[in-house]
Amino acid sequence: MATKSKKSIKILFIADIVGRPGRKTVREILPNLRKKEGIDFVVANGENMTTGNGMTEGTMKEMLDAGVDFFTAGNHVWKKPEFLSELEKKETPVVRPANYPEDSPGDGYRIVKTNFGNILIVSILGREGINAQVESPFKCIDEILEKTKGKYDISLVDFHAEVTSEKVAMGYYLDGRADIVVGTHTHVPTSDARVLPNGTAYISDAGMTGVRDSVLGVKTDIIIRLFTTGIPQKFEQETEGPKVFNSVMVDISADRKVKSIHRFDLEI
Ligand SMILES: [Fe+2]
């Protein structure tokens, strides 16, 4: 495959974009950041980018215009029924968790052509603490890597999971077999970005892009009421206050080896 003669490839992974404030944050930051940092490819978790729950064609286009190239998802990807037909289209740049039943709408992985090679992008859902009818993420990723062997140059796995032990285990399970393993779902950024012993860039959770003073994007008083009374509450997105842009940057050498991974966090 023809590739750009370039020293290294920079891939930015943007943490879960939550609702309108999250999208505004991406619009304000990403276009300049892409140019300034010379970023080659941008992947974002988009499962909450419409009203904090699910995604639509409109919000997807808005984020593509801001500079996102591809989206991963999670257990909330099904929340907007009108998006299910979009997921079925081959041109929709979104993967939903691969370990849902095979006949679920959309694809769990895609191989994306770029001018620096093919990227395998996989979305996969954890099972610990998540109420979803999915098969083993470990078995599922093995099957995907087997099916796609030799067809890509760089691989990125978004492991959307609740429990840190399952995420760390997945990191080591894929160490040396996937290039980038990024955790999402908790919306809380972790400080364990590192290159694992066999060369995989790993972080347990990239965090969130949205209103900082919230509980995972939801108004704090609502969630406090939920925990103090035990009575289910209607969730409402927080829209006011400073916004965080959580992401990780991965540097890959011209010969497709991971050089580094580091957090890239901004606030507006
Ligand atoms: Fe999620």
Side-chain angles (χ1 to χ4, degrees):
M1 160 155 315
T3 52
K4 251 192 204 171
S5 57
K6 193 176 177 217
K7 275 194 180 145
S8 68
I9 297 151
K10 281 188 178 183
I11 296 178
L12 185 77
F13 183 92
I14 302 175
D16 202 319
I17 302 166
V18 179
R20 192 186 296 265
R23 300 198 311 274
K24 185 172 188 285
T25 308
V26 172
R27 282 202 316 271
E28 283 188 25
I29 289 176
L30 187 59
N32 285 336
L33 186 69
R34 248 196 112 130
K35 279 187 222 145
K36 194 173 147 230
E37 297 291 328
I39 298 166
D40 297 285
F41 198 77
V42 178
V43 181
N45 186 299
E47 72 151 4
N48 290 312
M49 67 188 186
T50 307
T51 65
N53 231 337
M55 54 200 296
T56 56
E57 189 188 359
T59 55
M60 182 181 74
K61 285 190 172 151
E62 182 188 337
M63 292 295 90
L64 289 171
D65 286 346
V68 175
D69 294 301
F70 207 91
F71 300 90
T72 53
N75 51 323
H76 290 153
V77 71
W78 319 113
K79 291 285 173 76
K80 299 281 183 275
E82 67 271 30
F83 194 64
L84 302 189
S85 56
E86 281 304 311
L87 270 177
E88 295 279 28
K89 296 178 186 166
K90 287 291 165 204
E91 64 270 25
T92 300
V94 179
V95 283
R96 49 82 176 159
N99 47 340
Y100 274 101
E102 215 172 327
D103 53 358
S104 305
D107 294 327
Y109 69 91
R110 290 268 184 80
I111 294 171
V112 182
K113 283 192 174 127
T114 73
N115 57 1
F116 52 85
N118 288 351
I119 306 187
L120 168 68
I121 302 175
V122 185
S123 169
I124 204 149
L125 191 65
R127 291 199 295 190
E128 299 301 317
I130 289 190
N131 186 18
Q133 302 303 315
V134 290
E135 69 161 290
S136 161
F138 294 88
K139 187 169 172 272
C140 180
I141 191 70
D142 279 348
E143 288 166 4
I144 293 169
L145 293 179
E146 184 57 36
K147 271 187 236 166
T148 56
K149 207 184 256 178
K151 294 180 181 162
Y152 59 88
D153 303 288
I154 296 167
S155 56
L156 183 151
V157 177
D158 175 347
F159 188 37
H160 196 78
E162 179 75 31
V163 176
T164 321
S165 57
E166 193 182 15
K167 289 169 155 173
V168 177
M170 180 61 85
Y172 286 105
Y173 189 66
L174 291 178
D175 186 18
R177 298 198 292 146
D179 296 301
I180 306 166
V181 177
V182 183
T184 58
H185 181 65
T186 71
H187 294 201
V188 178
T190 59
S191 61
D192 61 342
R194 63 197 190 272
V195 178
L196 300 179
N198 295 312
T200 295
Y202 173 81
I203 189 163
S204 293
D205 207 292
M208 175 186 90
T209 295
V211 176
R212 186 193 67 188
D213 296 325
S214 64
V215 179
L216 320 187
V218 178
K219 284 180 184 283
T220 56
D221 57 336
I222 293 175
I223 303 298
I224 291 171
R225 213 179 306 132
L226 169 72
F227 283 116
T228 53
T229 66
I231 300 168
Q233 304 289 316
K234 190 174 184 297
F235 286 8
E236 204 184 314
Q237 290 298 296
E238 183 54 84
T239 55
E240 302 298 321
K243 295 166 198 72
V244 286
F245 178 95
N246 286 160
S247 69
V248 284
M249 187 89 83
V250 181
D251 265 276
I252 294 180
S253 67
D255 61 349
R256 311 298 185 273
K257 296 228 170 19
V258 168
K259 284 163 59 177
S260 65
I261 175 170
H262 63 271
R263 293 211 58 85
F264 203 94
D265 299 318
L266 297 164
E267 199 171 307
I268 56 172

